[in-house]
mmCIF file of all heavy atoms in Angstrom:
data_model
loop_
_atom_site.group_PDB
_atom_site.id
_atom_site.type_symbol
_atom_site.label_atom_id
_atom_site.label_comp_id
_atom_site.label_asym_id
_atom_site.label_seq_id
_atom_site.Cartn_x
_atom_site.Cartn_y
_atom_site.Cartn_z
ATOM 1 N N ARG A 42 -5.608 -0.925 11.058
ATOM 2 C CA ARG A 42 -6.451 -0.072 10.283
ATOM 3 C C ARG A 42 -5.848 0.112 8.896
ATOM 4 O O ARG A 42 -4.622 0.177 8.720
ATOM 5 C CB ARG A 42 -6.600 1.307 10.960
ATOM 6 C CG ARG A 42 -7.492 2.280 10.263
ATOM 7 C CD ARG A 42 -7.607 3.590 11.057
ATOM 8 N NE ARG A 42 -8.007 4.618 10.118
ATOM 9 C CZ ARG A 42 -8.125 5.868 10.391
ATOM 10 N NH1 ARG A 42 -7.864 6.245 11.653
ATOM 11 N NH2 ARG A 42 -8.601 6.726 9.583
ATOM 12 N N SER A 43 -6.676 0.287 7.871
ATOM 13 C CA SER A 43 -6.194 0.494 6.505
ATOM 14 C C SER A 43 -5.400 1.850 6.428
ATOM 15 O O SER A 43 -5.752 2.805 7.076
ATOM 16 C CB SER A 43 -7.423 0.611 5.540
ATOM 17 O OG SER A 43 -7.051 1.057 4.330
ATOM 18 N N LYS A 44 -4.360 1.802 5.562
ATOM 19 C CA LYS A 44 -3.629 3.027 5.300
ATOM 20 C C LYS A 44 -4.283 3.847 4.200
ATOM 21 O O LYS A 44 -3.787 4.960 3.922
ATOM 22 C CB LYS A 44 -2.207 2.685 4.894
ATOM 23 C CG LYS A 44 -1.395 2.068 6.029
ATOM 24 C CD LYS A 44 0.058 1.913 5.554
ATOM 25 C CE LYS A 44 0.944 1.480 6.701
ATOM 26 N NZ LYS A 44 2.382 1.336 6.263
ATOM 27 N N GLY A 45 -5.250 3.299 3.604
ATOM 28 C CA GLY A 45 -6.027 4.059 2.531
ATOM 29 C C GLY A 45 -5.467 3.886 1.136
ATOM 30 O O GLY A 45 -5.764 4.629 0.163
ATOM 31 N N PHE A 46 -4.584 2.963 0.935
ATOM 32 C CA PHE A 46 -4.033 2.565 -0.389
ATOM 33 C C PHE A 46 -3.731 1.078 -0.427
ATOM 34 O O PHE A 46 -3.676 0.395 0.536
ATOM 35 C CB PHE A 46 -2.825 3.433 -0.736
ATOM 36 C CG PHE A 46 -1.603 3.063 0.005
ATOM 37 C CD1 PHE A 46 -0.667 2.202 -0.556
ATOM 38 C CD2 PHE A 46 -1.290 3.662 1.197
ATOM 39 C CE1 PHE A 46 0.414 1.880 0.134
ATOM 40 C CE2 PHE A 46 -0.130 3.383 1.923
ATOM 41 C CZ PHE A 46 0.708 2.511 1.357
ATOM 42 N N GLY A 47 -3.605 0.603 -1.678
ATOM 43 C CA GLY A 47 -3.265 -0.723 -1.876
ATOM 44 C C GLY A 47 -2.681 -0.997 -3.213
ATOM 45 O O GLY A 47 -2.390 -0.031 -4.012
ATOM 46 N N PHE A 48 -2.442 -2.251 -3.572
ATOM 47 C CA PHE A 48 -1.862 -2.694 -4.873
ATOM 48 C C PHE A 48 -2.659 -3.832 -5.444
ATOM 49 O O PHE A 48 -3.157 -4.709 -4.710
ATOM 50 C CB PHE A 48 -0.392 -3.127 -4.631
ATOM 51 C CG PHE A 48 0.450 -1.998 -4.119
ATOM 52 C CD1 PHE A 48 0.656 -1.856 -2.807
ATOM 53 C CD2 PHE A 48 0.981 -1.075 -5.034
ATOM 54 C CE1 PHE A 48 1.479 -0.794 -2.314
ATOM 55 C CE2 PHE A 48 1.764 -0.024 -4.606
ATOM 56 C CZ PHE A 48 1.970 0.135 -3.255
ATOM 57 N N VAL A 49 -2.839 -3.810 -6.753
ATOM 58 C CA VAL A 49 -3.505 -4.828 -7.477
ATOM 59 C C VAL A 49 -2.649 -5.248 -8.602
ATOM 60 O O VAL A 49 -2.055 -4.403 -9.343
ATOM 61 C CB VAL A 49 -4.869 -4.357 -8.019
ATOM 62 C CG1 VAL A 49 -5.541 -5.398 -8.990
ATOM 63 C CG2 VAL A 49 -5.797 -3.962 -6.922
ATOM 64 N N GLU A 50 -2.419 -6.568 -8.813
ATOM 65 C CA GLU A 50 -1.672 -7.128 -9.871
ATOM 66 C C GLU A 50 -2.580 -7.826 -10.838
ATOM 67 O O GLU A 50 -3.296 -8.731 -10.470
ATOM 68 C CB GLU A 50 -0.590 -7.998 -9.346
ATOM 69 C CG GLU A 50 0.378 -8.416 -10.496
ATOM 70 C CD GLU A 50 1.585 -9.195 -9.878
ATOM 71 O OE1 GLU A 50 1.590 -9.446 -8.698
ATOM 72 O OE2 GLU A 50 2.456 -9.567 -10.734
ATOM 73 N N MET A 51 -2.629 -7.350 -12.101
ATOM 74 C CA MET A 51 -3.446 -7.942 -13.113
ATOM 75 C C MET A 51 -2.636 -8.955 -13.858
ATOM 76 O O MET A 51 -1.374 -8.981 -13.763
ATOM 77 C CB MET A 51 -3.940 -6.847 -14.071
ATOM 78 C CG MET A 51 -4.716 -5.751 -13.384
ATOM 79 S SD MET A 51 -6.292 -6.226 -12.570
ATOM 80 C CE MET A 51 -7.299 -6.592 -13.994
ATOM 81 N N SER A 52 -3.249 -9.751 -14.754
ATOM 82 C CA SER A 52 -2.534 -10.774 -15.489
ATOM 83 C C SER A 52 -1.542 -10.286 -16.485
ATOM 84 O O SER A 52 -0.544 -10.818 -16.776
ATOM 85 C CB SER A 52 -3.510 -11.701 -16.241
ATOM 86 O OG SER A 52 -4.117 -12.573 -15.266
ATOM 87 N N ASN A 53 -1.953 -9.128 -17.097
ATOM 88 C CA ASN A 53 -1.077 -8.520 -18.183
ATOM 89 C C ASN A 53 -1.252 -7.041 -18.267
ATOM 90 O O ASN A 53 -2.111 -6.450 -17.619
ATOM 91 C CB ASN A 53 -1.291 -9.257 -19.556
ATOM 92 C CG ASN A 53 -2.781 -9.056 -20.004
ATOM 93 O OD1 ASN A 53 -3.330 -7.944 -20.086
ATOM 94 N ND2 ASN A 53 -3.358 -10.208 -20.347
#
Side-chain angles (χ1 to χ4, degrees):
R42 181 178 161 187
S43 168
K44 290 185 176 185
F46 71 93
F48 297 95
V49 174
E50 189 171 2
M51 305 296 288
S52 289
N53 58 54

